């Protein structure tokens, strides 16, 4: 509210309940901006911030308590609970919002609301503004500016508090345990979805009911499809399998990728590619420290990948030229990471103006270089076909450098082979 200024008001709706089919709903998950400010997990809620307002600056609209409905769908906090447990100064039934909100807009110059991100809610903002404009002849000033809250709030969300870091550490720990379980369970002949079952089993055992994003479990050729989520092919002896999966724990995501041999032993070609990606990942992680900029880890990964591709013979030529001409993009076509937090691809600017932003303590990012060599690639010897490798960890920027939150799942060849043999 200090950043917003005293002549303003912010309006943040949570997500709407989404219908899966007919009368079946998707599990509800609050909208991340709303959730980050309120911690409130029920649907049909709107948070309103009115800096400097005498009667109260934080107003939460939510569903009323309803004995009959609560019998079916469980307890609700209600407006009383919103005040008692969520720090609201005032709270009202969500059904009263049309009556109350225009009054809160009176004599505020600026409305913080992100137009376009919630098409169901946008027209309601317009209606409230219309309602207040109708009172202009009575001397009421209506807001003349609608601006996105994102510039302020997303900058706050980018820096994780010690409490948030502890939660993310736990999300990472649970996800690492799930990856270990999948590695141990993997056998040739299994369908990919049985590894998904191992991951989900470990999550739910530990109280996590949701993946942070649809898990990718791709064996052989499927490891080269970046967003593969069918997870229904049979894992073949002699192939690699790539698992990209993470838990959502108390609203925070983990995002881990590991790649390992279905039969527990890397072939020489698989091992060669794997070692290149691993070296690139270490090189990138070493660049995660305060004072370096966002793209330093990516540049380090590109350099190490290109050097490695030349060393094993997948690229030929001068490393500097191959980097300049982006020859590596044939095998590495995505970026090395993204911010991580409540959203898996979390909010926060990557550039300030035209320059990459500097890394600062409290930021969390992924480091996830990969190499992908699908079958039939022109000029690529057959021994490299259907090898897709990505290694992804979640890294916190600390004052001293960094902390790898997802260290609990092995990634060296020897460690992986040992875990799978055990
Ligand atoms: N799992 C999504 C990503 O790695 O970016
Ligand atoms: Mn990622
Ligand atoms: Mn991932």
């Amino acid at each position: 509210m200090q950043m917003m200024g005293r002549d303003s008001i912010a309006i943040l709706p949570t997500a709407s309940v989404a219908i899966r089919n007919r009368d079946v709903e998707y599990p509800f998950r609050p909208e991340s901006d709303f959730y980050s400010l309120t911690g409130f997990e029920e649907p049909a809620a709107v948070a309103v911030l009115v800096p400097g307002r005498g009667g109260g600056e934080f107003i939460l609209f939510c569903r009323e308590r309803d004995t009959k409905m609560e019998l079916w769908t469980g307890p609700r906090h209600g407006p009383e609970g919103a005040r008692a447990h969520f720090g609201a100064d005032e709270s009202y039934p969500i059904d009263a919002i049309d009556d109350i909100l225009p009054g809160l807009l009176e004599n505020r110059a600026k409305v913080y609301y992100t137009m376009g991100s919630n098409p169901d809610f946008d027209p309601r903002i317009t209606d409230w503004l219309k309602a207040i404009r109708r009172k202009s002849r009575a001397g009421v000033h209506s807001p003349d500016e609608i601006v996105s809250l994102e510039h302020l709030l997303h900058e706050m969300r980018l820096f994780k508090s010690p409490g948030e870091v502890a939660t993310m550490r736990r999300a990472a720990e649970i996800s690492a345990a799930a990856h270990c379980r999948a590695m141990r369970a993997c056998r040739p002949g299994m369908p990919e979805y049985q590894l998904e079952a191992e991951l989900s089993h470990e999550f739910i055992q530990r109280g996590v009911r949701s993946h942070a994003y649809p898990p990718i479990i791709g064996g052989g050729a499927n490891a080269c499809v970046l967003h593969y989520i069918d997870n229904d092919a049979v894992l073949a002896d002699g192939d690699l399998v790539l698992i990209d999966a993470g838990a959502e724990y108390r609203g925070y995501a983990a995002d881990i990728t590991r790649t390992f041999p279905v039969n527990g032993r890397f072939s020489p070609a698989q091992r060669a590619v794997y070692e290149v990606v691993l070296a690139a990942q270490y090189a990138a992680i070493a660049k995660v420290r305060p004072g370096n900029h966002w793209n330093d880890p990516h540049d380090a990964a590109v350099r190490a990948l290109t050097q490695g591709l030349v060393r094993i013979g997948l690229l030929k030529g001068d490393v500097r030229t191959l980097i300049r001409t982006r020859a590596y993009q044939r095998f590495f076509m995505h970026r090395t990471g993204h911010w991580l937090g409540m959203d898996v691809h979390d909010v926060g600017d990557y550039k300030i103006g035209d320059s990459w932003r500097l890394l600062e303590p409290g930021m969390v990012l992924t480091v996830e270089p990969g190499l992908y060599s699908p079958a039939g690639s022109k000029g690529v010897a057959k021994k490299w076909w259907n090898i897709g490798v990505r290694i992804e960890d979640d890294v916190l920027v600390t004052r001293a450098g960094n902390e790898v939150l997802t260290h609990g799942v092995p990634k060296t060849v020897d460690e992986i082979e040992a875990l799978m043999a055990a």
Side-chain angles (χ1 to χ4, degrees):
M1 283 193 274
Q2 269 171 23
M3 292 156 93
M4 287 163 57
R6 285 177 83 95
D7 58 346
S8 66
I9 177 170
I11 303 171
L12 295 105
T14 192
S16 308
V17 171
I19 298 297
R20 184 178 182 278
N21 60 299
R22 200 161 161 85
D23 61 350
V24 180
E25 295 166 358
Y26 282 105
F28 178 74
R29 197 258 191 209
E31 195 278 328
S32 299
D33 280 342
F34 171 91
Y35 195 40
S36 73
L37 289 177
T38 63
F40 195 72
E41 298 188 332
E42 292 179 24
V46 176
V48 180
L49 305 178
V50 199
R53 179 172 170 270
E57 298 182 302
F58 169 30
I59 302 154
L60 190 60
F61 292 88
C62 63
R63 298 179 310 187
E64 268 189 291
R65 302 218 41 196
D66 178 335
T67 321
K68 221 153 99 201
M69 280 308 294
E70 289 180 47
L71 196 65
W72 289 86
T73 55
R76 298 175 176 184
H77 288 289
E80 310 74 28
R83 288 193 298 275
H85 305 300
F86 295 90
D89 299 315
E90 287 181 14
S91 53
Y92 300 102
I94 187 72
D95 294 334
I97 196 166
D98 286 329
D99 297 329
I100 295 170
L101 212 106
L104 296 172
L105 290 169
E106 276 184 21
N107 301 322
R108 296 272 152 183
K110 208 187 237 187
V111 180
Y112 282 98
Y113 173 77
T114 307
M115 273 288 174
S117 65
N118 187 338
D120 293 337
F121 204 79
D122 291 355
R124 308 193 59 190
I125 297 280
T126 338
D127 287 346
W128 296 328
L129 286 170
K130 273 192 229 155
I132 176 99
R133 275 191 204 121
R134 278 196 292 270
K135 290 167 95 179
S136 67
R137 267 168 297 172
V140 172
H141 294 288
S142 58
D144 50 18
E145 220 183 326
I146 302 182
V147 286
S148 167
L149 188 62
E150 293 186 351
H151 301 293
L152 307 182
L153 185 52
H154 291 183
E155 194 64 16
M156 292 168 67
R157 281 178 54 193
L158 177 56
F159 293 87
K160 275 68 181 174
S161 68
E164 290 181 290
V165 169
T167 304
M168 292 189 74
R169 226 179 248 130
R170 185 77 189 124
E173 212 174 273
I174 293 168
S175 306
H179 276 263
C180 290
R181 185 188 177 97
M183 277 186 199
R184 279 194 297 265
C186 187
R187 303 281 181 278
M190 265 185 159
E192 292 160 345
Y193 55 71
Q194 287 186 353
L195 293 186
E196 182 175 337
E198 298 294 335
L199 297 164
S200 299
H201 178 98
E202 193 68 30
F203 286 177
I204 298 172
Q205 281 290 346
R206 291 164 180 261
V208 163
R209 301 289 302 281
S210 184
H211 289 254
Y213 53 89
I216 297 168
I217 295 115
N222 297 334
C224 300
V225 180
L226 294 180
H227 290 160
Y228 175 78
I229 53 167
D230 290 347
N231 304 347
D232 61 357
V234 171
L235 294 164
D237 200 348
D239 277 351
L240 290 176
V241 55
L242 179 155
I243 299 184
D244 184 345
E248 181 176 274
Y249 177 71
R250 298 195 176 165
Y252 288 81
D255 184 6
I256 302 180
T257 307
R258 288 294 185 267
T259 310
F260 52 93
V262 169
N263 63 16
R265 286 266 170 211
F266 285 87
S267 75
Q270 290 165 351
R271 185 180 183 125
V273 174
Y274 191 89
E275 298 281 17
V276 170
V277 177
L278 187 60
Q281 208 231 11
Y282 284 135
I285 291 174
K287 292 290 182 188
V288 178
R289 59 166 187 260
N292 278 356
H293 64 62
W294 165 258
N295 217 43
D296 281 326
H298 180 69
D299 288 340
V302 163
R303 202 171 316 116
L305 288 173
T306 307
Q307 283 165 351
L309 286 166
V310 169
R311 184 157 31 79
I312 66 178
L314 270 165
L315 285 179
K316 286 186 184 29
D318 167 56
V319 169
R320 282 216 314 250
T321 312
L322 292 168
I323 292 173
R324 202 183 57 242
T325 58
R326 302 184 183 205
Y328 60 86
Q329 279 187 345
R330 177 163 181 204
F331 302 102
F332 176 50
M333 56 298 281
H334 57 79
R335 296 198 45 90
T336 303
H338 48 83
W339 302 128
L340 184 73
M342 293 192 123
D343 294 310
V344 62
H345 296 160
D346 207 32
V347 296
D349 291 330
Y350 292 94
K351 277 189 169 176
I352 304 290
D354 287 334
S355 320
W356 296 112
R357 85 178 297 158
L358 296 180
L359 299 175
E360 295 177 58
M363 295 172 165
V364 180
L365 58 145
T366 68
V367 178
E368 49 176 309
L371 290 175
Y372 311 90
S373 171
S377 272
K378 251 173 81 192
V380 174
K382 216 169 166 180
K383 68 170 175 176
W384 304 114
W385 288 7
N386 293 332
I387 294 181
V389 174
R390 179 165 65 255
I391 307 170
E392 173 174 31
D393 282 302
D394 305 342
V395 184
L396 167 72
V397 185
T398 61
R399 263 197 285 172
N402 68 65
E403 175 188 334
V404 177
L405 302 177
T406 43
H407 59 82
V409 50
K411 61 183 174 185
T412 68
V413 165
D414 288 348
E415 285 168 351
I416 289 174
E417 290 188 343
L419 180 73
M420 295 185 73

